[in-house]
Amino acid sequence: MLKRSDAPVSDDISAQPLFPLAATDLVFADRGRTLIDNLSLTLDGRGITAVMGSNGAGKSLLLRLLHGLLTPTSGAIRWGGNPLSDEVRARQAMVFQRPTMLRRSAADNLRFVLNHLPRNERDRRVEELIAEAKLDHAAATPARLLSGGEQQRLAIARARATEPEVLFLDEPTASLDPASVHAIEEVVRTIHADGIKVIIVTHDIGQAKRLADDVVFINRGRVAEQAAAAAFFERPATDAAQAYLEGRLQF
Amino acid sequence: MSDSGSIFSLALGLVLSGDAELWSIIALSLRVSLTAVALACLIGLPLGAFLAVVKFPGRDAVVALLNAFMGLPPVVVGLFVYLALSRSGPLGVLGLLYTPTAMIIAQTILVTPLIAALARQSMADLHVEYDELFRSLGLSMSRTIAALIWDGRYSLSTAALAGFGRAIAEVGAVIIVGGNIEHVTRVMTTAIALETSKGDLALAMALGLILITLALFVNSAVLTLNRTARRLAYA
Ligand SMILES: Nc1ncnc2c1ncn2[C@@H]1O[C@H](COP(=O)(O)OP(=O)(O)OP(=O)(O)O)[C@@H](O)[C@H]1O
Ligand SMILES: [Mg+2]
């Protein structure tokens, strides 16, 4: 049975839906530590999913595994029944916890991923994205000199420029001021309204309540809880989630 | 004491008066070494990027070899190029021995490993930083290499300058394959060697002054590049 689902359903993966996403018995171990521990997870393509959990729980690792940047020690990941491939990854984008800024201006960071467009169309798109990210004042500034919040906004704009169907955001508003948090949440809403599935890691409970339709709570490399956002914040089912939401340390 | 003082002022006079022989030697030196460095960049930068990005069995050995070749003794390179270009050698029919072209070939061989090794190091560091982003974007190998070369432009320019410094200052390779022929293959370092042995210390000293000036220029260019890179957070 497992064997059968290993094979792609058809050759033209690009025409097939990416959802449901199914991760089955995922294990990621490194130097004897099991960091992702038999994790199973199913997600559909609607809504914004918040991934929550304590520091070191394995949230960033999970995103890397789902996006195909890391290979699981064992277990399987299927996007709409298909295993990860370059084609599948090309339909996704990821903003890292510490965004990578190319050694170029902010605008050139965007231009870099719009390489396939004819020049005038590309310039127009760059201008749009710069405006949307509220970076007009900094378009010509070397990206690595932008403030933390500006870099986050640029990284999101760059991810968006690739026109993904799935967007992974790893703590996009950590260490940002309230106005920047607000600006990024607005962008996330716009992205979601465009029909893009957003999977966002956040420690900001208020943000998760504002944005998320459902929550995946990770504890020690496993999915401890997966629920609709309202239900999760109302009645967390596990002690770990309760402790996390109340700000208690758990050992 | 006064003797060396007068040699120094004679040398300065030669430089400042725009002595034709002096300047033709300088011009040839620059032509040979700049061409060699340009060729070495053409080969060394993509090679360094390739070694930084592509994993293949034996890569560590190739990198170790490259690093060892960084310090190739110029006379040994000269000897090999001489053997290749000499009339009975495999490339003898080209008749290149004792021409500026032979000197360019020798210096290119001398400098390419240096530039490639320095380029590989800086691009390997950059690649570690960019790897996940590039894989997330699904970037092709050629675009990855092009992006690393562009984003590493400051440290790569430094590598090219280091290559130029090595080329312009070496004597062993160019004297063997060039032969130090007046008006044809005589460059600054070989002229210094010859003129010193002949006792024309003023000309030797004049060329020495030019070489020192070039070295200072190269070093300040490196400093300026580094400072600019740091100011733009491009280091
Ligand atoms: N590529 C990797 N290889 C090996 N171990 C890793 C790797 N990435 C992370 N780890 C380890 O896995 C554990 C989980 O890391 P992860 O980054 O997923 O945590 P997180 O849930 O994102 O935490 P935070 O909230 O602090 O970002 C950590 O102990 C970390 O040291
Ligand atoms: Mg993390």
Side-chain angles (χ1 to χ4, degrees):
Chain A
M1 170 152 169
L2 243 170
K3 272 275 164 316
R4 191 154 278 285
S5 64
D6 266 358
V9 179
S10 124
D11 283 351
D12 189 12
I13 293 172
S14 61
Q16 295 171 16
L18 283 180
F19 289 91
L21 158 65
T24 323
D25 301 328
L26 275 191
V27 174
F28 182 83
D30 182 68
R31 279 161 288 184
R33 284 176 68 206
T34 305
L35 303 165
I36 295 291
D37 187 5
N38 251 300
L39 181 152
S40 294
L41 174 70
T42 308
L43 286 180
D44 65 27
R46 284 180 300 278
I48 298 177
T49 300
V51 177
M52 305 188 84
S54 322
N55 293 139
K59 305 179 298 295
S60 297
L61 272 181
L62 175 63
L63 258 54
R64 283 189 166 83
L65 289 163
L66 296 179
H67 189 35
L69 296 177
L70 286 174
T71 311
T73 310
S74 65
I77 295 167
R78 295 283 177 276
W79 286 93
N82 293 301
L84 268 159
S85 61
D86 291 346
E87 288 81 7
V88 167
R89 197 181 305 106
R91 294 162 68 186
Q92 314 174 343
M94 178 150 168
V95 175
F96 297 94
Q97 196 164 354
R98 275 176 294 241
T100 308
M101 295 286 111
L102 299 178
R103 285 157 175 75
R104 308 164 187 224
S105 70
D108 283 346
N109 265 267
L110 297 174
R111 212 161 274 132
F112 182 71
V113 299
L114 294 169
N115 193 262
H116 53 284
L117 297 179
R119 180 178 289 269
N120 50 356
E121 199 177 322
R122 179 173 37 173
D123 289 347
R124 197 173 42 75
R125 188 79 186 108
V126 167
E127 237 172 80
E128 280 170 15
L129 287 160
I130 286 279
E132 219 175 70
K134 302 197 169 56
L135 288 171
D136 308 77
H137 62 288
T141 307
R144 287 158 57 91
L145 293 182
L146 299 180
S147 78
E150 290 168 339
Q151 291 194 3
Q152 287 286 9
R153 298 211 298 268
L154 180 61
I156 292 173
R158 188 175 60 195
R160 198 178 156 140
T162 65
E163 298 184 2
E165 293 166 51
V166 184
L167 179 61
F168 294 105
L169 298 171
D170 197 347
E171 298 192 36
T173 59
S175 80
L176 301 193
D177 67 36
S180 306
V181 171
H182 183 77
I184 285 186
E185 288 181 6
E186 273 311 301
V187 173
V188 171
R189 279 197 197 90
T190 316
I191 291 171
H192 172 244
D194 287 349
I196 297 165
K197 171 75 181 181
V198 177
I199 300 172
I200 179 173
V201 176
T202 180
H203 289 296
D204 182 339
I205 293 165
Q207 175 168 75
K209 283 180 176 166
R210 286 190 295 276
L211 290 178
D213 297 295
D214 58 331
V215 176
V216 174
F217 184 78
I218 308 288
N219 189 38
R220 299 174 193 206
R222 292 165 170 267
V223 176
E225 219 170 315
Q226 182 178 9
F232 177 78
F233 293 114
E234 188 86 5
R235 294 176 302 277
T238 56
D239 288 348
Q242 259 164 37
Y244 176 84
L245 290 174
E246 288 165 15
R248 282 188 281 124
L249 280 177
Q250 260 228 338
F251 298 98
Chain B
M1 186 55 200
S2 73
D3 202 30
S4 59
S6 67
I7 289 166
F8 190 80
S9 56
L10 272 173
L12 215 54
L14 274 177
V15 173
L16 296 177
S17 68
D19 181 79
E21 187 188 352
L22 180 79
W23 283 102
S24 77
I25 293 173
I26 295 170
L28 181 65
S29 287
L30 290 175
R31 177 158 80 86
V32 167
S33 294
L34 287 173
T35 311
V37 168
L39 291 172
C41 284
L42 235 48
I43 305 165
L45 298 186
L47 176 63
F50 182 82
L51 290 172
V53 171
V54 183
K55 292 198 182 79
F56 57 90
R59 176 170 76 163
D60 289 353
V62 174
V63 170
L65 201 67
L66 198 62
N67 286 333
F69 278 6
M70 265 205 295
L72 275 181
V75 280
V76 176
V77 173
L79 176 61
F80 279 113
V81 175
Y82 176 90
L83 290 174
L85 296 182
S86 68
R87 201 167 302 152
S88 53
L91 301 174
V93 285
L94 300 176
L96 289 175
L97 201 61
Y98 304 131
T99 66
T101 306
M103 298 156 78
I104 290 170
I105 292 171
Q107 289 200 341
T108 302
I109 293 171
L110 187 69
V111 163
T112 298
L114 176 70
I115 289 178
L118 293 175
R120 188 207 65 84
Q121 185 55 58
S122 70
M123 281 188 275
D125 295 344
L126 207 53
H127 185 240
V128 168
E129 190 186 323
Y130 286 177
D131 183 44
E132 283 203 320
L133 174 67
F134 285 4
R135 284 198 290 135
S136 174
L137 291 172
L139 230 55
S140 68
M141 179 66 60
S142 58
R143 279 207 73 205
T144 297
I145 286 179
L148 289 177
I149 289 178
W150 178 248
D151 277 33
R153 56 200 178 278
Y154 285 94
S155 51
L156 298 181
S157 307
T158 305
L161 282 167
F164 176 72
R166 179 156 159 83
I168 198 81
E170 72 86 17
V171 52
V174 279
I175 206 161
I176 293 180
V177 304
N180 194 28
I181 302 164
E182 197 174 1
H183 302 312
V184 183
T185 59
R186 182 163 300 169
V187 290
M188 289 193 273
T189 52
T190 58
I192 291 175
L194 178 77
E195 301 303 335
T196 305
S197 68
K198 282 193 340 199
D200 184 353
L201 295 181
L203 182 58
M205 180 62 78
L207 289 165
L209 288 175
I210 298 287
L211 270 178
I212 290 170
T213 309
L214 275 172
L216 288 173
F217 167 77
V218 166
N219 273 303
S220 62
V222 168
L223 278 177
T224 310
L225 275 172
N226 288 343
R227 205 168 297 143
T228 311
R230 242 175 290 130
R231 186 167 53 76
L232 300 174
Y234 286 167

